[in-house]
Structure formats: C-alpha cells, structure tokens
Amino acid sequence: MKRGFLVVNNFLNLKKFQEIEQMLVDSAKRRGMQLVLKRTGELLCPVGGLKDMSLPDFALFWDKDVALCSQLEKLIPTFNSASAIYNCDNKIATSLALDRYGVPTPKTIIAPKTFEGTGYSDIRFLSNAVEMLGLPIIIKEAYGSFGQQVYLANSLKEAQSIVKSLGCKDFLMQEFISQSSGRDVRVNIVGGNVICCMLRENKRDFRSNITGGGSASAYEITCEQAAIALEACRAVGTDFCGVDLLLEKNLVCEVNSNPHFKSTFDCTGIDLSDEILAYIEEKLK
C-alpha cells in the first residue's frame, strides 16, 4: 500500500478546507492508498532534518509553504513542486512565468519594489500606469486567495488610496477586461489533461469567486481555450491546477496550484480528488 502525507496549513482549519482534505483522503482510500493528514507544524524540524523523520512514499502538498515543500521534495516525490506553488501563489511570479511562455494575459504592470518602514512614499508611478492601462484599473496584491486581495479602482484617486493602504506589500496592476466583469471560466487540469470546467458568475461584484457570492454552472470550453489553459499549466509547472480564463478575449487571469474544487464537484459532479490521486498513483509506478 502506497502511503503519503497530505500536507496542509498549520493555521487554516475552516470547514471549506476540511471538506477538500476529506475528499482527498477518501479518494486515496478508494484507490488502496493511505493519505495521512499532516499540518505543516507537525513537520517542524531544523533545516535538513526531514531526512531523519519517518517519511512516506510521497507527499500531496496542499499548502503554500514553499520553504517546507522545497525540503520535502528533495526526499520524496511531492505534488505540486515548490517552484510550481511559488509560481502560482505569487501573482507577480505567475505573470512573469506566463509571459515567458507567451500565454495571453491582461496587460500587466508590476509595481516598483518597496520595503518595510518605507512603503509607497512616492506614488507618481500610478499616473503612468493609469495612462498605459486605462481606467478602471485592477490592483492585485502579490499574495491573496478567494479574490480578497484584488481591487478595482475607477479613478486615479481611488488607485492612490488603495496603494497607500497596502503598506509595503508587493502588487501589480492590470487592465480591466470589462467584457468579463464578474465572469470567468475555471479550467481544472490534472496531468496535462483538462478534466472539467465551470463558468463562474457574480452579478454584484467584478470578481467571480464563489466564496465572494458568485454562482457556477458547467461549461464546455473551446479547443482554443483548452490550449491556452494547458499552456498556462505548463508555464507555471504544475501537476494539477485550476486556470481562470477571462471570457471573450480568452486571457489567463490566474493559476491556482491547490484549487478549491468542492465548488467544482457541486457544479459538475466530477471529483477532482479522484483524478489527482489517480495521477499520483501512476507517477509512482
């Protein structure tokens, strides 16, 4: 029997995370595999000390702790890799990775780097960004989930106010794709194959996230959309992911290394945990 660790965040223990974790554990059991839940704090050790622990055959890394993942993957097969998780978790890294592969995205500008104690003390660069991207403008913190760190500024004054509130956090700016306001397509990919898709819509917000009040329906993507999503997956280096496509122009908005697929299951009836565990089982042969 193949045994693996399901590595999850030490501090996030909400019901929506527990549901995903249980689906993955149950899927492993159905395949004759054992998946043991491990919070990142349970793997605490000196750097290089993981080799002295009793490790399983593989790890399914369902967190964004890149430092821990990079240590673990040196010792056992780990899905996704640390570099893939980083490329997805940091939206600036995502943008750069997609650009290297020529994946179409909204026009993007990375904000100048600042530091703790300095902040964005000179925001004249925002005027140049607005001139290049137009208004409204999207402002995204480099790190964030469920759309909670993504903002829409309808004027330069609003953009300035948002940036001042960020302190010293890294962020990027993107053109606003009005045709896809409150709408996108989540493309779920495992092992280089499109498994299922759903259309997400939110009539009360420019963000389509289900957590933010959006709704979902099954969606059949075109060959062009599938090709773009698969190229995005290759660009960031994931074994499995959820790619968010903006409609009409088929632009990649984000790539999620550990997508919250309970909403996908509720919408399509397809359990992505089965696909992920089947993929890992095949890779371990």
Side-chain angles (χ1 to χ4, degrees):
M1 174 187 288
K2 293 293 183 182
R3 179 172 174 267
F5 282 168
L6 173 59
V7 183
V8 302
N9 189 269
N10 197 65
F11 310 104
L12 297 176
N13 198 26
L14 300 174
K15 180 182 178 181
K16 62 183 178 182
F17 297 115
Q18 294 172 351
E19 289 175 334
I20 293 291
E21 294 159 8
Q22 191 61 53
M23 290 173 74
L24 290 165
V25 169
D26 290 345
S27 179
K29 186 176 181 180
R30 288 195 294 270
R31 306 196 73 82
M33 305 165 73
Q34 184 184 23
L35 199 56
V36 180
L37 188 73
K38 285 285 184 181
R39 299 205 170 274
T40 50
E42 296 178 73
L43 298 175
L44 188 71
C45 66
V47 172
L50 280 175
K51 64 181 182 296
D52 300 320
M53 290 187 177
S54 177
L55 294 176
D57 301 298
F58 69 95
L60 175 51
F61 208 91
W62 211 263
D63 189 41
K64 299 177 180 180
D65 191 333
V66 174
L68 176 59
C69 186
S70 64
Q71 295 180 72
L72 198 56
E73 68 185 8
K74 293 179 181 178
L75 303 171
I76 57 175
T78 303
F79 311 90
N80 282 301
S81 69
S83 61
I85 293 170
Y86 174 76
N87 282 338
C88 294
D89 187 33
N90 184 325
K91 292 178 176 62
I92 293 173
T94 306
S95 178
L96 295 173
L98 295 176
D99 179 65
R100 283 194 295 270
Y101 271 68
V103 178
T105 66
K107 188 183 296 184
T108 301
I109 296 174
I110 299 169
K113 178 73 176 178
T114 190
F115 303 96
E116 186 80 38
T118 300
Y120 294 99
S121 54
D122 182 348
I123 56 175
R124 286 176 293 179
F125 68 89
L126 280 172
S127 297
N128 294 332
V130 166
E131 185 176 338
M132 287 184 273
L133 299 177
L135 288 170
I137 187 174
I138 297 291
I139 294 174
K140 289 183 179 180
E141 295 181 29
Y143 296 97
S145 300
F146 302 109
Q148 294 172 358
Q149 290 76 28
V150 180
Y151 315 94
L152 179 66
N154 291 292
S155 66
L156 175 59
K157 186 176 180 180
E158 282 187 21
Q160 292 170 335
S161 178
I162 291 168
V163 169
K164 287 178 181 178
S165 73
L166 298 182
C168 62
K169 295 175 182 176
D170 295 339
F171 73 94
L172 55 78
M173 298 157 283
Q174 288 184 330
E175 65 174 322
F176 178 59
I177 308 301
S178 59
Q179 301 95 324
S180 195
S181 180
R183 301 166 67 236
D184 69 10
V185 174
R186 166 62 60 86
V187 184
N188 294 288
I189 297 171
V190 180
N193 297 301
V194 173
I195 306 301
C196 59
C197 310
M198 63 178 179
L199 173 66
R200 305 189 302 179
E201 297 183 277
N202 191 333
K203 296 181 180 179
R204 294 172 294 178
D205 199 287
F206 72 97
R207 296 161 293 192
S208 62
N209 304 77
I210 305 298
T211 300
S215 60
S217 57
Y219 183 86
E220 187 172 341
I221 61 172
T222 66
C223 292
E224 179 188 1
Q225 290 171 327
I228 291 171
L230 288 168
E231 192 66 6
C233 178
R234 284 189 284 268
V236 297
T238 50
D239 296 292
F240 50 84
C241 65
V243 178
D244 295 340
L245 281 178
L246 299 180
L247 292 168
E248 308 300 337
K249 294 188 177 183
N250 293 336
L251 303 175
V252 174
C253 179
E254 291 183 8
V255 185
N256 304 272
S257 61
N258 50 346
H260 188 79
F261 56 78
K262 176 61 165 57
S263 54
T264 298
F265 175 72
D266 292 339
C267 173
T268 68
I270 295 175
D271 188 345
L272 280 168
S273 64
D274 285 336
E275 302 290 339
I276 291 170
L277 268 298
Y279 170 78
I280 291 175
E281 184 179 41
E282 183 65 27
K283 295 293 285 187
L284 293 176
K285 289 183 178 178

